[in-house]
């Protein structure tokens, strides 16, 4: 243990040095022009074994062959092993995967794998502002920017690139989708040259950069008087400026655009459609093979709470579904997994069921904005597994669209300049799982969590089992003490942490639960706001009827009386009380489980996770008490089990 | 009208140039060393008349005599008029009062007045931060500070000093009671020399400066390792530093201290009493005739909402009443008018009934933090008149303490660097009324409002009457659409504007209404938290019994069922509905009244007030709907009159 503790570093994340693995004497043989990959393989083996004993008896072959573009194979040979790939990137992925499997303790002879990603683009979105602050960042500040300039440590960027490549990421958008006047200038000098230097650091790892661009860049950057996408001058601006960008960074992946959303400019301000906006910009990058990721997070964020007709989850569909088929080939509509905003529990966005002739990206959020902010433990892999398996049409799971309509998987990252990247080291698991699931959506949360634990921590069976159990249950625990049954929000406005049941109730953000003395929720069925009509008929029917609606989404779709009988016979109100009392208890149990790991995980890991679990417990109790008191005050009905509800 | 419109300036406030007054030829005769006062008198007459026609037929005598220190007399003579005062300051007050009465249109022959202030200290508190921002400022930024330096326009300061002296103000504390590390340095060089220069501008107007000091100045300014008030080094610091201050500003009035309050340091951090803290600092300024204003706004601002025992309004009494008689003579305890925090409706602080051997200042807030923020119309004079007439003991009104226990009247000002000083010009009336009431607490709101209108606006009878009516009713209107019957808060946290019924309900600030499905309020009677026991017996009995408790304070003192019958037979719930519907209607009527004044008041006044009244109407409707919906959702009971309550 002492030795392991000495070499463990949170900074190395899942690429830990390992002291426990049996080295194998071998010689690496790589083909022409594969020096970088050769070197990555060598460095990886040194991480695992401490050193490489050269031997002619056993050869590790790194080679390119005629596999698909990103496909690799891992094959044991007689007196050797072959890592092959259809491209340099593919080979690199093969090397990382090979190292990864060695790190889990497998012996080389047993490592057989043949793998290709389901989607072409696996992309990380940074919400980094150029002043260094990260929007919804819970792990420090940006490691790209400071004081409105590029300001980074080259070694750290290379380490970051390696971490990302090792889980299959091939695109990184470096700046916040909420572009300001400074970051709007990333597509022009002097910032462009700096961005090109950064791109060069990522390039060997097969990672291409993107930037978030400002829809009003024609005015802000170009000095024009309009950003109307059908204006000839505007079109010319985008073409000319993009040519400059591609001249500096020929393999630039493209632009990410948040338009007509939360006070951002967009085509609708000029009476144009989302397609008009996206296609104008897409036409400018098309000659260079560039892409435009166009976000669908468009809704009225100035709703009057008194307006019960407007229903926020319906907005994206209304804006984009009628435009299906009108987007250029290099436009990818970037759609959040759910129709609201990265809540603990939402149905899948109905756009995924209904865009048949449009290329799509699904956007997840690794940053735990609404899911505990890297204080409370929350394994997103568990939630993503459910989402990927959710139906988008009769008998058709969301993940079946991967490689079909869905050509890209993106996520808002949870990283920052904290030395362990993610603030809470256990949140590294979410980052790891994202990359792996984006590559292969069939992977289960359990597999990924287990894999991550194995390659990250040197601990004993109890340690591995405890961490696995904590992570696997964490999402359910968090959900049980926060907003119930898909109702969403109930968080403190603006910071989005901690309870505030009515916090968004009278605001302009369109997120209302409308709890009265006898019922709660918004009727989103075909008899209510009609949201369910945005789904294919089989799903619509399922959601429409309270009996067939998945119970965990009950309050997303229905307005329900507190005396409604749940499937197990409890009333809704009693269910709310129970889940909050139990959730807080389980949060306490998480802390107790962790406390059994002292001396089983490195001390700094033990301490920092423990401190967060203690904060989580306070948070869980606060949620329990505020939610229970809220409903007790509304109803006057006691908890059946007589537990303490404060007045 | 054209002429009046040309010379009117919001900047001149109640010292307007007047074109309508009949000038009188006269000669001013002033005694030895009264040049400044002579000049102020001359300037004042020129403001009123345009010019002074010199004449030997009529003499205006300015003289000192044996009146009390701040006493003046105004006396018509045969062929002349005498303004006399017991001191230069008194004479100056006499001159301003004389000019003020001329400005109302009175003829000189009828002006008889003999007046002395009830209290020695009439003080304005600025909550100006040295970065230029004003805490709770609604009229722009500081006119003293910018970028952590003194930065002011000398002419503006002189005009401000004249405005303040003209209403009897004789002390001004220039910086925020929340002292930071920069403003802590005001008592040391290099800032001290700058402050001395500012003091010199105020000196001719009889205004002495104070500063808010940081309780931890011994550490921050003195570099000591403690601020323990009983530490010899700490005592020495305060002595030595105060000697430096008084060397630069010999007539410096003293220090204002917010200690042990809202995250400020204080004696309790060192296990010392409030008296220990105050007396140590007071001893340091005593040799120079200096004062220490020690705020009593001490309470637990980290309360757990689940704790129903702790009752915030009880805190000041608990901290200070047991120390009665232990404060040095030059300590003045500065007590907010109510026990909570400048709400629309509170009882008088019980400290005023129970500090018999301690010198007190009553603190008001002219800045409309909780009372409409100089957007919504709110005449504080109306509220102050009620407060001053409130009982502090059987048959004894608060104002009877003026000149007894209460030796000072202070207020947080509503001024800033907006050209009209107060943002909303109608808020100038609050500033004016404060000075006049501090001088003479017997003045009524109606008198003061009328006086202020007369000397500020040149309008017709309809104009004067309309503005008077609007101001007189404004407080009741605001109260009717905001938090009902003394319950307080229900505002948006942090900015304190607009409704948020549960905004403070689960916070740590100690302000809870605890509304359930059948009742609302905190029982503060002797059977509840015991707050009423802090009052003398007659008041305690009155507040204890729901029948004798003033109805407007019903929800301050009692927890009341929604079906409780009010004096007029309505239920409490129906009262809440009614007052909110009516309040919003009255806000609309205010706007309509104002609209009749177009072309009757200067156009810029008309426009800027109208714009605010339009915002007020939106605010009133938002309050109406949020409050009504909140209680409708809690109770499920409809409005009897069938008006629209949103779900």
């Amino acid at each position: 243990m002492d030795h392991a503790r000495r070499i463990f570093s949170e900074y190395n994340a899942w690429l830990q040095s390992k002291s426990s693995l049996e080295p194998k004497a071998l010689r690496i043989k790589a083909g022409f022009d594969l020096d970088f990959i050769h070197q990555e393989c060598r460095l990886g083996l040194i991480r695992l074994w401490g050193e490489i004993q050269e031997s002619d008896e056993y050869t590790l072959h790194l080679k390119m062959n005629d596999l698909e573009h990103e496909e690799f194979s891992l094959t044991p040979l007689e007196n050797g092993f072959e890592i092959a790939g259809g491209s340099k990137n593919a080979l690199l992925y093969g090397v990382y995967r090979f190292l990864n499997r060695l790190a889990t303790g497998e012996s080389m002879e047993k490592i057989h794998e043949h793998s290709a990603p389901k989607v072409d683009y696996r992309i990380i979105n940074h919400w980094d502002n150029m002043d260094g602050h990260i929007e919804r960042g819970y792990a420090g500040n940006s490691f790209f920017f400071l004081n409105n300039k590029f300001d980074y440590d080259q070694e750290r960027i290379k380490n970051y690139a390696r971490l990302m490549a090792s889980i299959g990421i091939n695109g990184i958008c470096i700046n916040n989708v909420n572009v300001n006047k400074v970051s709007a200038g990333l597509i022009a000098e002097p910032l462009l040259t700096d961005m090109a230097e950064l791109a060069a650091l990522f390039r060997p790892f097969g990672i291409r950069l993107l930037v978030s661009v400002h829809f009003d860049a024609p005015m802000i950057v170009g000095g024009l008087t309009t950003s109307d996408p059908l204006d000839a001058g505007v079109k010319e601006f985008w073409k000319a400026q993009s040519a400059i960008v591609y001249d500096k960074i020929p393999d630039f992946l493209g632009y990410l655009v948040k338009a007509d959303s939360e006070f951002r400019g967009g085509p609708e301000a000029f009476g144009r459609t989302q397609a008009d906006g996206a296609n104008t910009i897409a036409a400018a990058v098309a000659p260079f093979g560039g892409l435009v990721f166009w976000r669908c997070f468009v809704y009225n964020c100035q709703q009057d709470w008194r307006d019960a007709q407007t229903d926020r989850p319906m907005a994206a569909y209304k804006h984009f579904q009628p435009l299906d088929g009108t987007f250029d080939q290099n436009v990818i509509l970037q759609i959040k997994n759910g129709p609201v905003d990265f809540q603990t529990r939402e149905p899948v966005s109905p756009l995924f069921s209904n865009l048949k002739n449009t290329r799509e990206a699904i956007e997840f959020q690794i940053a735990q904005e609404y899911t505990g902010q890297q204080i409370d433990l929350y394994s997103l892999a568990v939630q993503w597994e459910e989402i990927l398996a959710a139906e988008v049409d009769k008998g058709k799971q969301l993940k079946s669209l991967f490689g079909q309509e869905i050509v890209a998987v993106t996520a808002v990252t949870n990283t920052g300049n904290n030395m362990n990247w993610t603030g809470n080291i256990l949140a590294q698991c979410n980052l790891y799982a994202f990359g792996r699931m984006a590559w292969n959506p069939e992977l289960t949360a359990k597999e990924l969590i287990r894999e991550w634990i194995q390659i990250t921590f040197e601990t004993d069976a109890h340690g591995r089992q405890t961490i696995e159990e904590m992570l696997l249950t964490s999402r359910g625990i968090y959900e049980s003490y926060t907003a119930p049954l898909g109702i969403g929000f109930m968080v403190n406005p603006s910071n989005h942490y901690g309870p505030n049941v009515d916090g968004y109730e009278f605001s302009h953000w369109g997120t209302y639960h409308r709890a009265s003395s006898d019922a709660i929720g918004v009727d989103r069925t075909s008899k209510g706001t009609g949201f369910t009509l945005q789904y294919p008929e089989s799903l619509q029917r399922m959601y429409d009827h309270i009996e067939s609606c998945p119970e965990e989404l009950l309050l997303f779709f229905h307005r329900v009386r507190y005396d409604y009988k749940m499937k197990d016979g409890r009333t809704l109100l009693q269910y709310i009380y129970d889940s909050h009392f139990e959730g807080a208890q389980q949060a306490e149990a998480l802390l107790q489980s962790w406390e059994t790991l002292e001396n089983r995980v490195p001390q700094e890991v033990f301490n920092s996770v423990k401190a967060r679990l203690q904060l989580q417990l306070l948070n869980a109790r606060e949620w329990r008490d505020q939610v229970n008191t809220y409903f007790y005050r509304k109803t006057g009905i006691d908890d059946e089990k007589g537990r303490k509800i404060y007045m």
Side-chain angles (χ1 to χ4, degrees), chain A residues 608-627:
Chain A
S608 74
V609 171
K610 182 176 166 185
R612 284 179 172 78
L613 290 166
Q614 287 169 326
L615 290 174
Q616 173 171 8
L617 180 54
L618 290 178
N619 190 40
R621 288 176 176 161
E622 191 67 27
W623 271 98
R624 173 195 67 193
D625 292 334
Q626 284 201 31
V627 169

Side-chain angles (χ1 to χ4, degrees), chain A residues 29 55 57 94 157 162 186 197 204 220 275 317 331-332 334 376 378 382 430 452 461 466 510 568 583 644:
Chain A
K29 260 183 119 171
S55 162
E57 305 291 302
I157 298 299
R162 180 178 296 116
L186 281 165
E197 285 173 20
I220 298 168
Y317 179 100
V331 172
I332 297 175
Q334 185 161 318
D376 299 32
Y378 193 103
V382 174
N430 290 329
W452 174 77
T466 302
D568 64 7
K644 177 74 179 169

